[in-house]
Amino acid sequence: MAGDWIKFELITLDKPEVCQIADAADIDCDAVVGKLLRVWGWFDQQTADGNAPSVSKRLLDRMVGVTGFCEHMKLVGWMVEADGVISLPNFDRHNGKTAKNRLLTAKRVAAHKAANGKGNGNGNAANVSDALPKEDVEKSKEQHNTQRAEGDFAVDPNAPIEMTLNWVPDPDLLKNYALRMAMPVDLFTHDAIGAFVCHYAASGRVETQAAWVSLLTKWIKRDAAQATGKVTPLRRASGPEANFDDTGWLEGKQ
């Protein structure tokens, strides 16, 4: 199951498709919206990709209490039937784990930018948590702890995030990148990371967690190379050494 909530846009309340279904089913638009939520919620909970090969339209009609409701959804393009299998078109845009992760990431980035615009340095964790019911927040914490116990990263390496002054690299990601670059982890001191963060925090740049750690690794490696670099001495020209006691030049000798 993808979760205990689904994405719903308020504009759906007034979409022409809702009115068409209401006319076809001879019910009011508010009732249509409620029954659509029942259908969408069922697909979100019971399918992984919006395809339901083992369920019939009759079963879904019975679930929403309107005979022919699935046919009305097909009429407006909100349900597809092929070879006896019913599915929801564009399911991954609005439902499923991937769509929900995209939505939460967008809300997190937007909340953080809004907080920065107001001079609020408290971050965006509270805003993101408020977007979900309390039980979902607790469930996310449990999943996070389980992943850590299994040795996974504490953060999603592919999750986009804007650089802020309170950013710190994920220890596991940092260790892996440092190992790949043949760098000792003790090079990543608080001061070294601070210089990197201050450089990028004012840019408003957004990268994935993995990309930020990769940039940090290259930054530290460059600084280390500059700090330990040695100046190569100039090579002396070949030939006999100069004799400063020779006075032959006074007699026209060369």
Side-chain angles (χ1 to χ4, degrees):
M1 294 188 297
D4 299 329
W5 61 280
I6 63 173
K7 174 185 173 184
F8 179 79
E9 297 175 326
L10 291 178
I11 194 175
T12 304
L13 297 170
D14 300 313
K15 282 190 173 181
E17 291 88 342
V18 172
C19 297
Q20 287 181 258
I21 295 176
D23 288 340
D26 195 22
I27 56 178
D28 62 76
C29 292
D30 290 342
V32 171
V33 172
K35 297 179 188 305
L36 286 171
L37 286 173
R38 286 276 291 167
V39 174
W40 292 334
W42 185 92
F43 273 87
D44 183 77
Q45 292 287 308
Q46 305 299 332
T47 71
D49 54 5
N51 293 311
S54 60
V55 70
S56 65
K57 292 180 295 183
R58 181 180 300 177
L59 175 63
L60 293 177
D61 286 349
R62 187 181 303 120
M63 182 180 68
V64 300
V66 176
T67 302
F69 192 80
C70 290
E71 286 295 332
H72 303 328
M73 289 184 65
K74 287 173 54 181
L75 180 66
V76 299
W78 284 358
M79 181 176 287
V80 176
E81 183 177 17
D83 298 327
V85 177
I86 59 176
S87 61
L88 299 183
N90 302 320
F91 176 85
D92 57 345
R93 292 185 187 175
H94 307 287
N95 296 281
K97 183 177 180 180
T98 301
K100 293 178 182 180
N101 285 341
R102 285 199 304 266
L103 175 63
L104 291 179
T105 298
K107 289 176 70 69
R108 181 166 59 248
V109 173
H112 180 74
K113 288 184 176 180
N116 281 348
K118 297 177 181 178
N120 182 359
N122 293 329
N124 54 28
N127 293 328
V128 176
S129 298
D130 291 343
L132 291 173
K134 181 178 179 180
E135 56 270 20
D136 280 357
V137 175
E138 295 300 326
K139 185 180 297 183
S140 297
K141 290 180 179 178
E142 292 177 3
Q143 293 174 349
H144 169 80
N145 292 335
T146 300
Q147 290 177 344
R148 293 294 292 166
E150 295 174 352
D152 291 339
F153 295 122
V155 298
D156 181 1
N158 298 318
I161 184 173
E162 183 179 357
M163 177 57 66
T164 63
L165 290 176
N166 60 354
W167 179 84
V168 291
D170 176 73
D172 293 332
L173 271 176
L174 181 60
K175 182 178 179 181
N176 284 355
Y177 273 87
L179 181 64
R180 280 290 185 180
M181 298 287 283
M183 298 170 59
V185 179
D186 56 10
L187 285 178
F188 296 84
T189 63
H190 177 76
D191 290 342
I193 295 175
F196 172 82
V197 169
C198 289
H199 177 80
Y200 284 103
S203 66
R205 181 170 169 177
V206 176
E207 296 284 355
T208 64
Q209 290 281 6
W212 281 126
V213 175
S214 176
L215 287 171
L216 172 63
T217 306
K218 296 174 183 177
W219 175 287
I220 300 297
K221 186 169 186 177
R222 182 195 62 196
D223 284 356
Q226 291 177 348
T228 59
K230 296 181 179 180
V231 178
T232 303
L234 294 176
R235 296 181 60 185
R236 179 178 295 176
S238 60
E241 295 185 0
N243 183 1
F244 295 102
D245 295 326
D246 184 10
T247 59
W249 60 277
L250 293 173
E251 301 175 0
K253 297 180 180 180
Q254 296 183 354

mmCIF file of all heavy atoms in Angstrom, residues 176-201:
data_model
loop_
_atom_site.group_PDB
_atom_site.id
_atom_site.type_symbol
_atom_site.label_atom_id
_atom_site.label_comp_id
_atom_site.label_asym_id
_atom_site.label_seq_id
_atom_site.Cartn_x
_atom_site.Cartn_y
_atom_site.Cartn_z
ATOM 1 N N ASN A 176 30.928 6.840 1.951
ATOM 2 C CA ASN A 176 31.020 6.148 0.664
ATOM 3 C C ASN A 176 31.752 6.982 -0.383
ATOM 4 O O ASN A 176 32.595 6.472 -1.129
ATOM 5 C CB ASN A 176 29.618 5.796 0.160
ATOM 6 C CG ASN A 176 29.030 4.606 0.892
ATOM 7 O OD1 ASN A 176 29.695 3.989 1.718
ATOM 8 N ND2 ASN A 176 27.783 4.289 0.620
ATOM 9 N N TYR A 177 31.424 8.277 -0.444
ATOM 10 C CA TYR A 177 32.079 9.139 -1.430
ATOM 11 C C TYR A 177 33.554 9.335 -1.090
ATOM 12 O O TYR A 177 34.407 9.366 -1.980
ATOM 13 C CB TYR A 177 31.361 10.489 -1.515
ATOM 14 C CG TYR A 177 30.214 10.490 -2.491
ATOM 15 C CD1 TYR A 177 28.940 10.092 -2.098
ATOM 16 C CD2 TYR A 177 30.391 10.877 -3.814
ATOM 17 C CE1 TYR A 177 27.882 10.080 -2.990
ATOM 18 C CE2 TYR A 177 29.339 10.872 -4.715
ATOM 19 C CZ TYR A 177 28.085 10.472 -4.296
ATOM 20 O OH TYR A 177 27.039 10.453 -5.185
ATOM 21 N N ALA A 178 33.857 9.488 0.193
ATOM 22 C CA ALA A 178 35.255 9.650 0.602
ATOM 23 C C ALA A 178 36.059 8.399 0.259
ATOM 24 O O ALA A 178 37.205 8.482 -0.191
ATOM 25 C CB ALA A 178 35.328 9.936 2.100
ATOM 26 N N LEU A 179 35.450 7.233 0.455
ATOM 27 C CA LEU A 179 36.124 5.983 0.129
ATOM 28 C C LEU A 179 36.412 5.889 -1.360
ATOM 29 O O LEU A 179 37.499 5.476 -1.779
ATOM 30 C CB LEU A 179 35.255 4.803 0.583
ATOM 31 C CG LEU A 179 35.822 3.400 0.332
ATOM 32 C CD1 LEU A 179 37.102 3.197 1.132
ATOM 33 C CD2 LEU A 179 34.794 2.329 0.714
ATOM 34 N N ARG A 180 35.443 6.295 -2.170
ATOM 35 C CA ARG A 180 35.627 6.263 -3.620
ATOM 36 C C ARG A 180 36.735 7.210 -4.071
ATOM 37 O O ARG A 180 37.457 6.947 -5.034
ATOM 38 C CB ARG A 180 34.319 6.641 -4.315
ATOM 39 C CG ARG A 180 33.320 5.506 -4.408
ATOM 40 C CD ARG A 180 33.794 4.464 -5.381
ATOM 41 N NE ARG A 180 32.815 3.407 -5.581
ATOM 42 C CZ ARG A 180 32.991 2.379 -6.395
ATOM 43 N NH1 ARG A 180 34.121 2.275 -7.068
ATOM 44 N NH2 ARG A 180 32.076 1.457 -6.523
ATOM 45 N N MET A 181 36.865 8.337 -3.372
ATOM 46 C CA MET A 181 37.872 9.337 -3.732
ATOM 47 C C MET A 181 39.195 9.109 -3.004
ATOM 48 O O MET A 181 40.110 9.920 -3.111
ATOM 49 C CB MET A 181 37.337 10.738 -3.407
ATOM 50 C CG MET A 181 36.089 11.124 -4.184
ATOM 51 S SD MET A 181 36.418 11.499 -5.917
ATOM 52 C CE MET A 181 37.115 13.139 -5.761
ATOM 53 N N ALA A 182 39.283 7.992 -2.260
ATOM 54 C CA ALA A 182 40.502 7.650 -1.514
ATOM 55 C C ALA A 182 40.900 8.780 -0.569
ATOM 56 O O ALA A 182 42.062 9.172 -0.482
ATOM 57 C CB ALA A 182 41.642 7.326 -2.476
ATOM 58 N N MET A 183 39.904 9.305 0.147
ATOM 59 C CA MET A 183 40.137 10.411 1.070
ATOM 60 C C MET A 183 39.815 9.975 2.493
ATOM 61 O O MET A 183 38.790 9.322 2.717
ATOM 62 C CB MET A 183 39.255 11.616 0.696
ATOM 63 C CG MET A 183 39.518 12.192 -0.676
ATOM 64 S SD MET A 183 38.249 13.409 -1.137
ATOM 65 C CE MET A 183 38.432 14.613 0.184
ATOM 66 N N PRO A 184 40.647 10.330 3.464
ATOM 67 C CA PRO A 184 40.319 10.029 4.861
ATOM 68 C C PRO A 184 39.148 10.886 5.334
ATOM 69 O O PRO A 184 39.058 12.075 5.002
ATOM 70 C CB PRO A 184 41.607 10.378 5.615
ATOM 71 C CG PRO A 184 42.318 11.349 4.730
ATOM 72 C CD PRO A 184 41.968 10.976 3.327
ATOM 73 N N VAL A 185 38.263 10.283 6.105
ATOM 74 C CA VAL A 185 37.067 10.992 6.548
ATOM 75 C C VAL A 185 37.415 12.153 7.475
ATOM 76 O O VAL A 185 36.671 13.137 7.553
ATOM 77 C CB VAL A 185 36.106 10.006 7.249
ATOM 78 C CG1 VAL A 185 34.853 10.721 7.748
ATOM 79 C CG2 VAL A 185 35.697 8.892 6.298
ATOM 80 N N ASP A 186 38.564 12.070 8.167
ATOM 81 C CA ASP A 186 38.899 13.137 9.110
ATOM 82 C C ASP A 186 39.243 14.453 8.420
ATOM 83 O O ASP A 186 39.420 15.486 9.080
ATOM 84 C CB ASP A 186 40.045 12.706 10.031
ATOM 85 C CG ASP A 186 41.292 12.273 9.260
ATOM 86 O OD1 ASP A 186 41.338 12.481 8.034
ATOM 87 O OD2 ASP A 186 42.212 11.723 9.891
ATOM 88 N N LEU A 187 39.341 14.442 7.078
ATOM 89 C CA LEU A 187 39.534 15.703 6.353
ATOM 90 C C LEU A 187 38.271 16.570 6.387
ATOM 91 O O LEU A 187 38.344 17.790 6.228
ATOM 92 C CB LEU A 187 39.910 15.429 4.891
ATOM 93 C CG LEU A 187 41.329 14.944 4.598
ATOM 94 C CD1 LEU A 187 41.489 14.678 3.107
ATOM 95 C CD2 LEU A 187 42.355 15.977 5.051
ATOM 96 N N PHE A 188 37.132 15.922 6.607
ATOM 97 C CA PHE A 188 35.854 16.637 6.560
ATOM 98 C C PHE A 188 35.558 17.228 7.940
ATOM 99 O O PHE A 188 34.665 16.782 8.658
ATOM 100 C CB PHE A 188 34.740 15.694 6.106
ATOM 101 C CG PHE A 188 34.930 15.184 4.706
ATOM 102 C CD1 PHE A 188 35.735 14.076 4.462
ATOM 103 C CD2 PHE A 188 34.328 15.811 3.636
ATOM 104 C CE1 PHE A 188 35.921 13.602 3.170
ATOM 105 C CE2 PHE A 188 34.509 15.342 2.338
ATOM 106 C CZ PHE A 188 35.311 14.241 2.106
ATOM 107 N N THR A 189 36.315 18.228 8.296
ATOM 108 C CA THR A 189 36.149 18.875 9.592
ATOM 109 C C THR A 189 34.962 19.833 9.570
ATOM 110 O O THR A 189 34.419 20.162 8.504
ATOM 111 C CB THR A 189 37.415 19.652 9.960
ATOM 112 O OG1 THR A 189 37.609 20.703 8.987
ATOM 113 C CG2 THR A 189 38.637 18.739 9.965
ATOM 114 N N HIS A 190 34.586 20.278 10.759
ATOM 115 C CA HIS A 190 33.469 21.227 10.869
ATOM 116 C C HIS A 190 33.773 22.506 10.094
ATOM 117 O O HIS A 190 32.903 23.047 9.394
ATOM 118 C CB HIS A 190 33.222 21.541 12.345
ATOM 119 C CG HIS A 190 32.138 22.557 12.572
ATOM 120 N ND1 HIS A 190 30.798 22.256 12.460
ATOM 121 C CD2 HIS A 190 32.203 23.885 12.887
ATOM 122 C CE1 HIS A 190 30.083 23.347 12.698
ATOM 123 N NE2 HIS A 190 30.906 24.339 12.964
ATOM 124 N N ASP A 191 35.000 22.992 10.193
ATOM 125 C CA ASP A 191 35.370 24.233 9.506
ATOM 126 C C ASP A 191 35.371 24.042 7.991
ATOM 127 O O ASP A 191 34.939 24.929 7.245
ATOM 128 C CB ASP A 191 36.751 24.698 9.972
ATOM 129 C CG ASP A 191 36.729 25.184 11.414
ATOM 130 O OD1 ASP A 191 35.630 25.483 11.913
ATOM 131 O OD2 ASP A 191 37.811 25.248 12.033
ATOM 132 N N ALA A 192 35.868 22.889 7.542
ATOM 133 C CA ALA A 192 35.931 22.645 6.097
ATOM 134 C C ALA A 192 34.530 22.553 5.501
ATOM 135 O O ALA A 192 34.250 23.121 4.439
ATOM 136 C CB ALA A 192 36.712 21.364 5.822
ATOM 137 N N ILE A 193 33.648 21.845 6.192
ATOM 138 C CA ILE A 193 32.265 21.733 5.710
ATOM 139 C C ILE A 193 31.570 23.089 5.782
ATOM 140 O O ILE A 193 30.782 23.453 4.906
ATOM 141 C CB ILE A 193 31.496 20.680 6.531
ATOM 142 C CG1 ILE A 193 32.105 19.288 6.309
ATOM 143 C CG2 ILE A 193 30.019 20.669 6.156
ATOM 144 C CD1 ILE A 193 31.491 18.201 7.166
ATOM 145 N N GLY A 194 31.883 23.860 6.833
ATOM 146 C CA GLY A 194 31.268 25.176 6.984
ATOM 147 C C GLY A 194 31.594 26.106 5.832
ATOM 148 O O GLY A 194 30.735 26.865 5.365
ATOM 149 N N ALA A 195 32.829 26.064 5.356
ATOM 150 C CA ALA A 195 33.210 26.913 4.226
ATOM 151 C C ALA A 195 32.421 26.539 2.975
ATOM 152 O O ALA A 195 31.977 27.408 2.217
ATOM 153 C CB ALA A 195 34.710 26.780 3.966
ATOM 154 N N PHE A 196 32.237 25.238 2.774
ATOM 155 C CA PHE A 196 31.464 24.761 1.621
ATOM 156 C C PHE A 196 30.008 25.221 1.715
ATOM 157 O O PHE A 196 29.430 25.731 0.751
ATOM 158 C CB PHE A 196 31.547 23.231 1.572
ATOM 159 C CG PHE A 196 30.644 22.593 0.557
ATOM 160 C CD1 PHE A 196 31.013 22.510 -0.776
ATOM 161 C CD2 PHE A 196 29.412 22.065 0.930
ATOM 162 C CE1 PHE A 196 30.184 21.910 -1.716
ATOM 163 C CE2 PHE A 196 28.576 21.469 0.003
ATOM 164 C CZ PHE A 196 28.967 21.397 -1.325
ATOM 165 N N VAL A 197 29.415 25.051 2.894
ATOM 166 C CA VAL A 197 28.010 25.416 3.097
ATOM 167 C C VAL A 197 27.801 26.914 2.895
ATOM 168 O O VAL A 197 26.854 27.343 2.223
ATOM 169 C CB VAL A 197 27.546 24.983 4.501
ATOM 170 C CG1 VAL A 197 26.183 25.578 4.825
ATOM 171 C CG2 VAL A 197 27.479 23.465 4.597
ATOM 172 N N CYS A 198 28.683 27.729 3.467
ATOM 173 C CA CYS A 198 28.546 29.181 3.327
ATOM 174 C C CYS A 198 28.665 29.617 1.867
ATOM 175 O O CYS A 198 28.012 30.570 1.435
ATOM 176 C CB CYS A 198 29.605 29.888 4.173
ATOM 177 S SG CYS A 198 29.311 29.770 5.955
ATOM 178 N N HIS A 199 29.484 28.915 1.112
ATOM 179 C CA HIS A 199 29.674 29.271 -0.299
ATOM 180 C C HIS A 199 28.391 29.055 -1.100
ATOM 181 O O HIS A 199 28.028 29.877 -1.941
ATOM 182 C CB HIS A 199 30.812 28.434 -0.889
ATOM 183 C CG HIS A 199 31.036 28.676 -2.355
ATOM 184 N ND1 HIS A 199 31.731 29.766 -2.834
ATOM 185 C CD2 HIS A 199 30.638 27.966 -3.451
ATOM 186 C CE1 HIS A 199 31.756 29.722 -4.159
ATOM 187 N NE2 HIS A 199 31.101 28.635 -4.560
ATOM 188 N N TYR A 200 27.693 27.938 -0.833
ATOM 189 C CA TYR A 200 26.531 27.587 -1.653
ATOM 190 C C TYR A 200 25.192 28.023 -1.055
ATOM 191 O O TYR A 200 24.189 28.069 -1.769
ATOM 192 C CB TYR A 200 26.493 26.075 -1.889
ATOM 193 C CG TYR A 200 27.495 25.591 -2.908
ATOM 194 C CD1 TYR A 200 28.668 24.957 -2.519
ATOM 195 C CD2 TYR A 200 27.270 25.774 -4.270
ATOM 196 C CE1 TYR A 200 29.595 24.512 -3.458
ATOM 197 C CE2 TYR A 200 28.185 25.337 -5.212
ATOM 198 C CZ TYR A 200 29.347 24.701 -4.800
ATOM 199 O OH TYR A 200 30.252 24.269 -5.731
ATOM 200 N N ALA A 201 25.152 28.345 0.230
ATOM 201 C CA ALA A 201 23.867 28.641 0.874
ATOM 202 C C ALA A 201 23.191 29.870 0.278
ATOM 203 O O ALA A 201 21.967 29.938 0.203
ATOM 204 C CB ALA A 201 24.068 28.824 2.374
#
